[in-house]
Amino acid sequence: MALVLSAQTGFADPLTYSVDGVEFQGYVARPDGDARGTVLIVHDWDGVNDHEIARADALAQAGFVGVAVDLFGRDAVLDGFEDYRRETGALYADRATFRARISAAAQAAAQLDGVPAQMVITGYCFGGAAALEAARAGMEMAGFVSFHGGLDTPDGQDYSATTGPVLVLHGSADPVSGMDDLARLMDELQAADVPHEAQVFGGARHSFTVQESNDWDAAANDKAHAALSRFLDQIF
């Protein structure tokens, strides 16, 4: 596989895999030396773009393998809100496919040379919901982190099979998943005896980590990523 020069790190690999005949392509950023661990990054509802690539690069700078995974497919049309709703809605409506794509991305990353087997899965907005889906699915991860993700638990699901701690980073003014949703999630994790923590950023709205969005909040973004760093330090 050809190497692609990365702006922030030494080199980066494309990550390709398929599920049910659909081709996917993500992005892998590696540190200069031995990696401390592997961090999967699931994209927002608009697919893998500069936001996730920058996060992968930043994680590589910190000594991890950063893997921006693709859950929509290389040929998905992502030109606007209706496209984003179509792709996310299809996965929310078909949880088996949702889980299969997350699992395939993790397996593809694990098969790369020099990628530590111990993984944490993170995600932004839709990706945060994906990280929690992975937790409920019992995927073998060392931790699960949601940045302003959807917090609802679908009917018939729970956290009884969750394999690692859960960190939720959320804005108090998020209109998509509010404080009542966060409280219910904390109750569910407590009942399932899953180690968990939530950090709430006062006044932050839904996409507070996305600089191009109207919800961008630099202070909340910095605090959330500092919390992720502490979480990774505890695990790795």
Side-chain angles (χ1 to χ4, degrees), residues 77-203:
V77 176
L78 299 169
D79 291 333
F81 289 168
E82 293 307 313
D83 294 330
Y84 309 155
R85 290 191 182 99
R86 180 193 65 245
E87 296 297 329
T88 56
L91 293 179
Y92 287 143
D94 184 350
R95 297 284 169 161
T97 297
F98 197 2
R99 293 180 174 194
R101 292 184 179 184
I102 300 169
S103 180
Q107 290 174 18
Q111 290 168 4
L112 295 174
D113 290 340
V115 172
Q118 192 175 30
M119 294 184 177
V120 166
I121 184 168
T122 71
Y124 297 83
C125 298
F126 163 78
L132 295 177
E133 186 74 24
R136 294 189 297 268
M139 293 186 190
E140 290 293 332
M141 299 284 173
F144 307 85
V145 183
S146 169
F147 288 85
H148 46 81
L151 304 180
D152 289 344
T153 299
D155 290 342
Q157 291 192 14
D158 59 38
Y159 288 90
S160 60
T162 300
T163 60
V166 174
L167 173 63
V168 179
L169 303 166
H170 215 71
S172 69
D174 191 324
V176 177
S177 290
M179 292 297 95
D180 289 345
D181 298 315
L182 178 60
R184 280 193 293 272
L185 173 59
M186 296 295 102
D187 286 344
E188 291 173 26
L189 293 169
Q190 180 65 29
D193 199 26
V194 175
H196 59 281
E197 181 180 357
Q199 293 200 24
V200 177
F201 307 107

Side-chain angles (χ1 to χ4, degrees), residues 22 35 43 59 72 116 149 158 166 176 183 190 198 210 217 232:
V22 179
H43 51 76
L59 285 161
F72 293 161
D158 59 38
V166 174
V176 177
Q190 180 65 29
V210 182
D217 185 322
L232 296 177

